Amino acid sequence: MLTKRSSIDRVRPEAEILKEGAEWLKAGELVAFPTETVYGLGANALDAFACAKIFEAKGRPQDNPLIVHVCNRSMANRLVKDWTSAADLCVQHFWPGPLTLILPKTALVPDIVTAGLENVAIRMPSHPVALGLIKETGFPIAAPSANLSGKPSPTRGSHVWRDMKGKIPLILDAGACEVGVESTVLDVSGGVPTILRPGGITKEQLEEVLGEVRVDAPSENQIPRAPGMKYRHYAPQGELILVSGLRERVVQRMGQEIQKGHARLKRVGVLCTFESASFLHNWTPDLLFVLGSKDRPQEVASNLFEGLRLCDDRRMELILVEGIEEGGLGSAVMNRLEKAAGKRSQHI
Ligand code: TXA
Ligand code: MG
C-alpha cells in the first residue's frame, strides 16, 4: 500500500487535510494522527472490520483492547452505559486531555475494541488535529499508539513513518507531541478509582479532585487489569539497562558499564539527564542523548521515546538509561523505562 505523509498545522489544522483523513476513516481504512501524548493509529470505532486492521498493522495481540477517542461528551454518552460521579469529575477537570476512563460499555461498542471486556476505555484528546479529525468523521475513533507492537510509542511523524510505511494510506504529521508519554488509564467504573497505567495526568492531580486513588500494582503472578500492561513494551533492539539512585553513584556505575560494553566491542548508547551529561561524556559512549533536566520531568517525558528510537536508528547494542525520581510525571517515565529494561534495572 502506498502511504502518504501529509504535514498538518498543529494549531489550526487545514480543513482539506482533515477531510482527507476523514474520507479514509469513513471508507474503513486506518489513519495515523497526532494527539498531545503520542501518535495514534485510528479506525472507525464502530466498525469491527476497520478495527481488525489495527491489530494486523501493529502486530498487536488480540486480547489487548483499544482506547476510543471522542470529541465531546455526547459522543461519549453513546458508548458508556453507566457514568459514575468519579467519572463525571474527571471529565470536568481533565477532558480534553491525557486521561483515559474505564467505564461499562453500551452495545454500540464492538467486542473487538474491548477485547471482549464489559468495560470500554474512552478519552477526549486535546490536540486540535485529533479533535478536528473526530469532528470531521462524526464517529468515535479507536486508536492505540501508532507503533509496531512492543516498540517505543511514536512521538514524531517520522516515528510513525518508520513503523507504518506501506501498511496504512495516510499519516497526518504535526511534528512532536507535547506530553510524550501516553494517557493515564483510570478505572472509574466503581469503587476506589484505580490507575491501571500511569501517564500524562499524575496521581497527585487525580487525588486533588477525587480524594483516594489507588494504583494497580499486580504482583508477579497476577494479571494486570489493563491487559496491555502485561506485555514487554517500549523496547529498543539493544539490551537496555536502567540505572537509578544517587546521581554520583549512577554516573559511576554507568561509566563502568560503558567500559565493560566497549571491552565486549559493543556500541554503547547513553540516555541521561542534563545534569549528568558532561560527566558521562568523558566515558565516550557511542551515542549520548540528553533527555532533559532531572528537575523537569515533563522535558524528560517528551524526549523519552525519541531517545529510545534514536538508539535503534544508530544501532546501539547496549543502552544505559539514567532513571529519574518517582512522583508526578516521573512515575510515568519510570514505568516506561522499567518495562523497556525488562528485569535489567539497577537501583543503587
Ligand atoms: O495516550 C494514549 O493513551 C494513546 C493515544 C493514541 O491516545 N493511546 C494508547 O493506546 O496509548 P494503547 O493501545 O497503546 O494503550 C492502551 C492501554 C493498554 O494498556 C490497554 O490494555 C488499556 O489501555 N486498555 C484499553 N482498553 C481497556 C479496557 N477496556 N480495560 C482495561 N484496560 C484497557
Ligand atoms: Mg501502546
Side-chain angles (χ1 to χ4, degrees):
M1 182 184 292
L2 202 65
T3 302
K4 182 170 165 190
R5 180 171 162 194
S6 297
S7 358
I8 184 162
D9 193 275
R10 68 158 74 217
V11 183
R12 272 179 285 285
E14 296 81 351
E16 56 302 357
I17 302 177
L18 288 178
K19 201 149 178 241
E20 190 185 355
E23 291 306 321
W24 282 115
L25 290 166
K26 286 178 192 165
E29 293 297 335
L30 305 183
V31 173
F33 62 95
T35 81
E36 70 278 22
T37 57
V38 302
Y39 276 76
L41 181 62
N44 177 355
L46 306 181
D47 176 350
F49 190 72
C51 290
K53 292 181 183 172
I54 291 178
F55 290 86
E56 199 186 309
K58 277 183 64 99
R60 184 180 177 101
Q62 292 281 344
D63 67 349
N64 193 2
L66 308 173
I67 295 176
V68 180
H69 298 70
V70 297
C71 63
N72 55 43
R73 175 70 189 254
S74 68
M75 195 181 260
N77 285 345
R78 295 167 60 209
L79 309 172
V80 172
K81 200 161 66 183
D82 304 303
W83 289 86
T84 57
S85 54
D88 283 331
L89 279 172
C90 286
V91 170
Q92 272 168 39
H93 285 86
F94 302 111
W95 276 13
L99 180 66
T100 295
L101 301 176
I102 304 289
L103 287 161
K105 80 176 191 78
T106 61
L108 205 60
V109 183
D111 283 339
I112 187 168
V113 169
T114 60
L117 298 173
E118 288 303 306
N119 289 336
V120 62
I122 177 159
R123 113 169 166 94
M124 191 193 301
S126 63
H127 197 295
V129 173
L131 282 175
L133 187 64
I134 304 165
K135 241 179 236 152
E136 184 64 36
T137 58
F139 49 68
I141 297 180
S145 47
N147 52 288
L148 290 173
S149 203
K151 290 277 136 202
S153 295
T155 49
R156 313 276 191 274
S158 56
H159 300 165
V160 183
W161 176 252
R162 166 73 53 117
D163 281 14
M164 291 298 151
K165 179 181 37 168
K167 297 184 169 199
I168 61 174
L170 182 65
I171 298 169
L172 301 181
D173 185 345
C177 301
E178 213 180 324
V179 180
V181 289
E182 301 89 337
S183 64
T184 302
V185 178
L186 184 72
D187 188 336
V188 278
S189 62
V192 180
T194 304
I195 295 175
L196 309 188
R197 178 180 70 180
I201 298 290
T202 65
K203 180 166 187 263
E204 294 80 354
Q205 283 174 292
L206 292 170
E207 279 167 342
E208 239 173 73
V209 169
L210 300 173
E212 191 192 352
V213 172
R214 291 207 182 120
V215 180
D216 185 44
S219 57
E220 286 260 315
N221 39 20
Q222 268 179 323
I223 301 168
R225 281 159 61 187
M229 298 299 278
K230 70 176 178 277
Y231 298 107
R232 181 152 185 249
H233 257 168
Y234 313 113
Q237 241 121 47
E239 177 190 12
L240 187 146
I241 305 179
L242 171 62
V243 191
S244 50
L246 266 184
R247 196 160 63 82
E248 290 74 27
R249 285 207 239 155
V250 167
V251 167
Q252 202 183 16
R253 172 65 60 83
M254 284 173 79
Q256 288 164 354
E257 295 287 350
I258 295 170
Q259 274 193 319
K260 274 205 283 190
H262 279 164
R264 281 155 47 216
L265 301 179
K266 298 218 179 249
R267 287 166 63 78
V268 185
V270 164
L271 310 188
C272 66
T273 62
F274 165 76
E275 288 78 7
S276 305
S278 58
F279 301 103
L280 288 164
H281 179 77
N282 293 333
W283 296 92
T284 64
D286 300 276
L287 169 72
L288 183 81
F289 181 88
V290 178
L291 290 164
S293 168
K294 69 173 176 52
D295 300 323
R296 288 193 293 274
Q298 169 55 71
E299 206 171 272
V300 176
S302 71
N303 289 319
L304 179 66
F305 292 137
E306 165 75 358
L308 290 173
R309 282 178 170 261
L310 198 63
C311 288
D312 272 356
D313 293 348
R314 305 271 178 90
R315 301 185 318 284
M316 294 301 132
E317 296 159 295
L318 176 64
I319 301 155
L320 305 168
V321 189
E322 178 183 358
I324 62 169
E325 220 177 297
E326 295 270 354
L329 263 188
S331 300
V333 167
M334 289 302 280
N335 167 272
R336 307 312 186 264
L337 285 173
E338 274 154 17
K339 289 217 176 313
K343 294 208 185 313
R344 305 233 36 198
S345 37
Q346 309 179 359
H347 191 86
I348 53 175

